[in-house]
Amino acid sequence: MQLPAQAAKEDPQVPQTLDAAAVRTWCSLALDALGRDREEIDAINVYPVADGDTGTNLYLTVESAARAVEAVFDAHATGTSVPDLPDTVRAMAHGALIGARGNSGTILAQLLRGMAEVLGEDRADRGNGADGAARGGGDHLARALHRAAELAREAVAHPVEGTILTVASAAADAAARTRPTVDGATGDGAAYGDGAAVHAAYAGARVALAATPGQLAVLGRAGVVDAGGRGLLAVLAALVEAVTGDAPSPVAPGARPHELPAVVESCDADDSPAGPAFEVIYLLETDEPGIARLRRRLDALGDSLVVVGGDGLWNVHVHVDDAGAAVEAAVEAGRPYRIRITHFGAAAGHQRERAQRAVVAVVPGEGLAGLCAEAGATTVLARPGEPPASGELVDAIRRAHAHEVVLLPNDAELRHTAAAAAEQARAEGIRVALIPTRAAVQGIAALAVHEPGRRFDEDVVAMTSAAGATRYAELAVAERQSWTMAGICQAGDLLGLIDGDVAVIGTELAVTAETVLDRMLSAGGELVTLVLGQDVPDTLAERLERYVRDGHLAVDTVVYRGGHQSAPLLIGVE
């Protein structure tokens, strides 16, 4: 039986080429398709965790890929040349890698990377048209789809059938089977074009998607197809349209091709075993031996492990109960950044309903990210010199998956960014309260008194009060000579900033910290919080604890490891 997608307007024997312009169109069409279907794909997300975000994660991943492709075209806008296919597909893959979200988004990034490996081959090896088009015909695209499926399976620690991996493999197999044969032998691919290959890939993927409920028990019980596979089908449909101009007939999100089951409202708690509590995602700069060690470590810590990338940059996704250990493993392996930790909350019990309330916190280091995540917050990591954009904060608010969200920016300079993110989230129907925390220690104080069972307004008032009652300080290193409220500092001096103003200039970390503590505790206090940077020894914390205990008997001290953060020491006094 012929599926609608196989009825091409053009003769399938006429080569229709995937060139740079088609890749650009592909990204745009895929983004539009996922934007239309996002909520419905979210609604059928029951595996591996029913957290209702697969459509959103795929959309954000493709959005990052599309931005990278547009940047390549923008770079050629002032000249007479146009981007070639290798540059364009590599940009697409890199954009997807750095912007990948969730399990399915991470796998999609690896699929695009696999395609880019083949489509971005040296033009001297296969010839290239004047417009940047590959002269490999449909055979070349079929090989790209095969490499994509192969690389994606390698990236997943424990591949499962009935998922996006199954759909990707079926698409690649169908494209390969379309190659013409001569006397029973496979032809060289020159007699058919990319159009025939993409039509075949889409048709194969559609059939495979329909079979997923029979391959994965949780899908069969819920009466839906795999959400990741459904999202991939939308991406492949966009590829068909970009190459041929044909728009395949739509498949209702969540439906088998010939059946339209109701959108899933819930999934019974016994559909699958209860999983880990946290989703941890980060980019990691490391080498091949480092990533191999990390794979082994994370595989022992949790499940749903997907590691994609290469050439020194990787995107790591894992579900764990100990988020801090997952981040510590990354620090040992290389340099992690863009760390995102999400508490599954109600979704960990496989209930699709939104949580009533959640907290989103910006943190300056991976140590605090783990601490806040364990307290139930969704975190956004702020790298030194690279504060998060409003889009990242909106993404975190969406990931929190709650009707009510308390947003803790934990940085005075993020006030306007956080306000913009809160306003956008409110426009999407989420009730957001922005507490203007100016430092991470104020956010810790607010999170400590957070009570989800209270009325929203009461909870916000209590958290705001706790943050406002916390004075904050940090020790930073002066980058150049300058005038300060404490006098003239030289490059390399230690600056003790209290509530944002330079109050102490020193040369030795412990002595400067003691002076700052004296200034802060002179006005009273009950609790001192110390957050140590990555390279600060534990002996400093021990010395400062003794100093506080000896001079202020009624004051307690707590110490946290902040990891890679801009300041070697953060101090809070409540």
Side-chain angles (χ1 to χ4, degrees):
M1 182 181 69
Q2 186 184 49
L3 292 173
Q6 292 173 297
K9 295 177 184 177
E10 295 87 359
D11 183 349
Q13 296 303 313
V14 176
Q16 301 165 65
T17 307
L18 180 68
D19 57 12
V23 170
R24 186 186 194 185
T25 302
W26 177 24
C27 288
S28 177
L29 291 171
L31 193 61
D32 288 345
L34 290 170
R36 289 191 304 270
D37 297 343
R38 178 180 61 82
E39 291 185 0
E40 295 180 78
I41 295 175
D42 283 345
I44 63 164
N45 175 199
V46 299
Y47 181 85
V49 175
D51 48 354
D53 62 0
T54 292
T56 299
N57 288 335
L58 288 169
Y59 177 87
L60 292 170
T61 302
V62 173
E63 182 181 47
S64 182
R67 281 200 301 265
V69 169
E70 287 302 316
V72 171
F73 275 83
D74 288 346
H76 288 76
T78 57
T80 57
S81 64
V82 295
D84 62 11
L85 179 64
D87 287 345
T88 307
V89 293
R90 287 168 187 154
M92 174 183 64
H94 181 74
L97 174 68
I98 64 175
R101 300 288 200 278
N103 193 299
S104 295
T106 308
I107 293 173
L108 177 62
Q110 192 74 340
L111 289 167
L112 295 179
R113 179 181 178 85
M115 292 188 70
E117 279 191 10
V118 176
L119 298 176
E121 289 171 351
D122 189 344
R123 286 165 288 175
D125 293 339
R126 55 179 173 80
N128 196 73
D131 60 353
R135 288 181 178 168
D139 181 65
H140 193 241
L141 185 52
R143 289 193 295 110
L145 290 167
H146 173 76
R147 179 56 179 157
E150 179 182 59
L151 211 59
R153 284 185 177 271
E154 291 175 0
V156 178
H158 303 285
V160 173
E161 296 306 325
T163 64
I164 187 174
L165 297 175
T166 305
V167 176
S169 294
D173 291 344
R177 286 195 300 269
T178 307
R179 298 185 342 178
T181 59
V182 178
D183 296 330
T186 301
D188 62 6
Y192 80 117
D194 289 345
V198 295
H199 272 304
Y202 176 80
R206 187 168 175 170
V207 171
L209 180 66
T212 57
Q215 295 173 294
L216 200 54
V218 63
L219 301 179
R221 285 192 290 269
V224 297
V225 296
D226 178 64
R230 176 59 187 87
L232 178 60
L233 191 67
V235 173
L236 290 173
L239 178 60
V240 172
E241 187 173 358
V243 172
T244 71
D246 291 336
S249 59
V251 176
R256 303 174 181 89
H258 306 295
E259 300 178 35
L260 305 180
V263 174
V264 179
E265 294 298 336
S266 64
C267 185
D268 292 338
D270 62 354
D271 276 350
S272 57
F278 300 100
E279 178 185 61
V280 180
I281 305 174
Y282 45 75
L283 291 177
L284 179 67
E285 293 178 358
T286 189
D287 54 16
E288 292 282 352
I291 208 66
R293 291 192 300 271
L294 180 69
R295 284 179 188 271
R296 292 191 294 271
R297 176 85 178 273
L298 293 182
D299 195 25
L301 284 176
D303 59 29
S304 296
L305 175 60
V306 184
V307 181
V308 305
D311 302 321
L313 179 63
W314 309 82
N315 190 309
V316 180
H317 169 282
V318 68
H319 294 173
V320 293
D321 280 320
D322 190 344
V327 175
E328 288 171 7
V331 173
E332 293 173 3
R335 187 175 79 89
Y337 57 99
R338 293 196 185 181
I339 300 172
R340 295 189 298 276
I341 301 175
T342 303
H343 190 281
F344 286 125
H350 300 281
Q351 301 172 11
R352 279 206 60 260
E353 294 81 3
R354 284 180 178 270
Q356 182 60 33
R357 189 173 311 154
V359 177
V360 172
V362 180
V363 291
E366 63 276 356
L368 289 184
L371 173 70
C372 292
E374 288 170 7
T378 296
T379 61
V380 179
L381 188 69
R383 293 180 64 197
E386 295 184 23
S390 62
E392 292 180 74
L393 299 185
V394 173
D395 177 30
I397 292 171
R398 290 170 180 151
R399 287 189 287 117
H401 203 59
H403 296 290
E404 303 166 339
V405 173
V406 179
L407 178 58
L408 305 173
N410 296 335
D411 187 337
E413 295 183 1
L414 285 178
R415 181 180 50 150
H416 296 299
T417 300
E423 192 62 31
Q424 181 175 341
R426 291 182 190 120
E428 297 178 8
I430 304 171
R431 188 180 184 188
V432 181
L434 170 60
I435 298 179
T437 48
R438 294 172 291 174
V441 288
Q442 289 188 322
I444 293 172
L447 194 55
V449 301
H450 168 54
E451 288 287 348
R454 279 192 296 228
R455 288 179 56 250
F456 185 62
D457 292 339
E458 293 175 354
D459 198 30
V460 171
V461 168
M463 295 175 72
T464 302
S465 177
T470 303
R471 301 189 68 195
Y472 62 95
E474 67 174 279
L475 269 65
V477 179
E479 296 181 356
R480 58 184 177 278
Q481 183 187 61
S482 62
W483 290 88
T484 75
M485 293 184 65
I488 301 174
C489 71
Q490 305 297 325
D493 282 348
L494 282 168
L495 306 179
L497 292 88
I498 300 177
D499 296 334
D501 296 322
V502 177
V504 179
I505 300 174
T507 57
E508 200 270 319
L509 185 60
V511 174
T512 306
E514 289 171 351
T515 304
V516 168
L517 284 168
D518 282 339
R519 297 275 187 94
M520 298 181 75
L521 290 170
S522 64
E526 298 177 355
L527 177 67
V528 170
T529 301
L530 304 175
V531 182
L532 278 60
Q534 177 69 24
D535 299 322
V536 176
D538 291 334
T539 52
L540 175 66
E542 295 167 0
R543 173 172 169 170
L544 295 180
E545 283 184 282
R546 286 195 304 270
Y547 187 80
V548 171
R549 185 171 59 249
D550 293 344
H552 307 272
L553 296 178
V555 179
D556 292 325
T557 304
V558 293
V559 179
Y560 302 113
R561 275 286 175 185
H564 291 285
Q565 58 189 36
S566 57
L569 180 65
L570 305 177
I571 301 173
V573 174
E574 301 176 44

